[in-house]
Amino acid sequence: MFSETARQLVHMSMGAFALLLRVLTWQQAALCALAALLFNAVVLPRTGGRTIIRPADASRGYPLGILIYPVSVLLLILAFPARLDIAAAAWGVLAIGDGAATLVGRRWGRHRLGWNPDKSVEGLLAFVVAGSAGAVFLAWWTAPAITPPPSMAFVVAAPLLAAVAAGLVETVPVALDDNISVPATAGAVLWLCSLVTAGAWTGNLEAVTANLVPALAVNTVAATCGWLARTVRLSGMLAGWAIGAVVYASLGPQGWGLLFLTFLAATITSRLGLKKKALLGIAEERGGRRGAGNAIANTGLAAVAAAAAVATPFREAALVAFVAALATGGADTVASEIGKAWGGRTYLPTTLSAVRPGTPGAVSLEGSAAGILGALVLAGCGALLGLVPAWTVWAVVAGAIAGSVIESALAATLEASRIVNNDLLNFANTATGAIVAIAIVRMS
């Protein structure tokens, strides 16, 4: 008989194998992960493993979650062959944090999260505390095998940040398997933290300190005005304030100016053609007032890039990512809202078939053209503000187009089944735009 408690205890105990990453080469570790995948697929279901296989997996004929777990570990090892401490720490977040969240949430979860009533505050706290502890220990344990060894600041702070980020992602109300989203988030945060150097941060500390007071003042006024003007909800006001403060402190008024222009473009286009949108049932919820999820999905990556510009030695690449993330996110909103307001026929990019406006992933010629123009304008503003060289504008626009294509394809295939939601799609959109723009600039 299936037991969720037994499943989670096994899930957590598998994290003990991460201890081997201190003595194994990455090739040996990858082979072990591959062996675990084969064991879970072939042997486990035939040797008493049905007590940890959920009924849905049993009816499907294969244990999807139990197969994804070793695949995620394998991908972590392949992604960070020279930094197995990152793979180990992300594994710790997955094994200990995710398992503890389920056990504590099921037993003591009393206070539901506002954005996801299926999750609890107690479960989230358990995720962060247990995941942080497990990840810090595994990062410390595997550190001697890394050359040069990571600093103690990284060993302690990076896993904590990774656990917090992964814990929040785990609470997003989508059907995407936690065995994918949790290690991916933890690994990304740990990798970003590994890029931070004392020299880069020290060299920019004076400028950041000088920007701090105006950052707090300007964003307090802007966030309050946005809330009073009913362009954002309370959660959106708070998230926007935090993102704006990070951007202003890191990049000064130039970076904040581009952030504000992006928000302005989204706000104005959201209010165009409201009657038509309402008639078709495709208007933005709550009259277009944006919440924390929308703010983080569209501009959160830009805030991370802004911080990377002052905390890592890769300032130029971080600035390209910053401008590309904002241009991509802004262009996506412009394309969507203009398409809803004035678009003609809409099509699915995956099948090229005509669909009704508002269908997930649908695009129109008018909306796509407006999106490209919006990306060009925002990228041009980034160049005029001195954030990126003028010659990189085309790379930013190309990134925005790539992000739009990827987002539309994912929306058309995954959003209807709730594997992803609009916020995750927006984040994937901005991430794709930033990655493609950086890649083009590096190859140019």
Side-chain angles (χ1 to χ4, degrees), residues 130-219:
S132 297
V136 168
F137 173 76
L138 288 171
W140 169 80
W141 172 258
T142 53
I146 309 303
T147 304
S151 67
M152 186 53 64
F154 174 85
V155 168
V156 174
L160 175 59
L161 292 174
V164 171
L168 290 172
V169 168
E170 193 266 346
T171 66
V172 175
V174 293
L176 182 65
D177 198 292
D178 296 342
N179 291 325
I180 298 174
S181 60
V182 167
T185 302
V189 172
L190 288 159
W191 172 73
L192 285 169
C193 290
S194 74
L195 302 180
V196 175
T197 65
W201 174 244
T202 303
N204 290 296
L205 183 57
E206 184 177 348
V208 172
T209 303
N211 287 333
L212 194 55
V213 172
L216 298 177
V218 168
N219 283 284

Side-chain angles (χ1 to χ4, degrees), residues 5 7-19 69 73 76 87-105 122-139 159 162-164 166-167 170 178-179 182-183 186:
T5 299
R7 178 187 175 94
Q8 295 305 321
L9 290 175
V10 172
H11 180 95
M12 295 173 73
S13 66
M14 291 302 100
F17 286 102
L19 296 171
Y69 189 124
V73 171
L76 285 171
W91 190 349
V93 173
L94 168 63
I96 310 301
D98 194 29
T102 301
L103 292 175
V104 171
E122 292 84 358
L124 176 57
L125 291 176
F127 187 112
V128 172
V129 173
S132 297
V136 168
F137 173 76
L138 288 171
V164 171
E170 193 266 346
D178 296 342
N179 291 325
V182 167

Side-chain angles (χ1 to χ4, degrees), residues 42-393:
V42 179
V43 179
L44 187 63
R46 294 171 172 79
T47 57
R50 293 197 177 279
T51 58
I52 62 172
I53 297 177
R54 289 173 175 147
D57 286 335
S59 62
R60 187 189 296 115
Y62 55 91
L64 184 61
I66 292 175
L67 295 180
I68 293 175
Y69 189 124
V71 169
S72 292
V73 171
L74 175 61
L75 292 176
L76 285 171
I77 293 167
L78 296 178
F80 306 108
R83 291 297 305 267
L84 290 182
D85 59 322
I86 291 179
W91 190 349
V93 173
L94 168 63
I96 310 301
D98 194 29
T102 301
L103 292 175
V104 171
R106 284 168 57 87
R107 177 65 179 83
W108 292 288
R110 297 291 183 271
H111 302 87
R112 300 289 102 184
L113 294 174
W115 61 91
N116 187 356
D118 291 333
K119 302 290 183 177
S120 67
V121 174
E122 292 84 358
L124 176 57
L125 291 176
F127 187 112
V128 172
V129 173
S132 297
V136 168
F137 173 76
L138 288 171
W140 169 80
W141 172 258
T142 53
I146 309 303
T147 304
S151 67
M152 186 53 64
F154 174 85
V155 168
V156 174
L160 175 59
L161 292 174
V164 171
L168 290 172
V169 168
E170 193 266 346
T171 66
V172 175
V174 293
L176 182 65
D177 198 292
D178 296 342
N179 291 325
I180 298 174
S181 60
V182 167
T185 302
V189 172
L190 288 159
W191 172 73
L192 285 169
C193 290
S194 74
L195 302 180
V196 175
T197 65
W201 174 244
T202 303
N204 290 296
L205 183 57
E206 184 177 348
V208 172
T209 303
N211 287 333
L212 194 55
V213 172
L216 298 177
V218 168
N219 283 284
T220 297
V221 172
T224 303
C225 289
W227 183 64
L228 292 175
R230 302 181 65 82
T231 60
V232 294
R233 305 197 299 274
L234 179 61
S235 65
M237 180 189 76
L238 296 175
W241 179 89
I243 290 169
V246 170
V247 169
Y248 198 116
S250 300
L251 301 180
Q254 294 85 356
W256 189 86
L258 186 61
L259 176 66
F260 178 76
L261 289 174
T262 304
F263 172 76
L264 193 63
T267 300
I268 292 174
T269 54
S270 294
R271 280 158 173 70
L272 296 177
L274 278 177
K275 289 186 178 179
K276 177 183 177 182
K277 295 173 186 176
L279 204 63
L280 294 174
I282 55 176
E284 287 288 321
E285 295 180 355
R286 299 179 177 90
R289 299 181 70 190
R290 302 183 182 275
N294 184 272
I296 294 170
N298 283 289
T299 60
L301 185 62
V304 172
V310 296
T312 76
F314 306 102
R315 181 176 177 83
E316 291 78 14
L319 287 173
V320 170
F322 173 78
V323 174
L326 290 181
T328 302
D332 175 63
T333 302
V334 169
S336 177
E337 298 302 330
I338 294 296
K340 291 176 184 177
W342 296 315
R345 301 187 68 180
T346 53
Y347 302 86
L348 279 182
T350 52
T351 63
L352 299 181
S353 58
V355 293
R356 68 181 300 274
T359 301
V363 298
S364 67
L365 178 62
E366 295 84 356
S368 298
I372 294 173
L373 180 60
L376 180 61
V377 170
L378 289 171
C381 289
L384 290 174
L385 289 167
L387 295 168
V388 294
W391 69 269
T392 64
V393 167

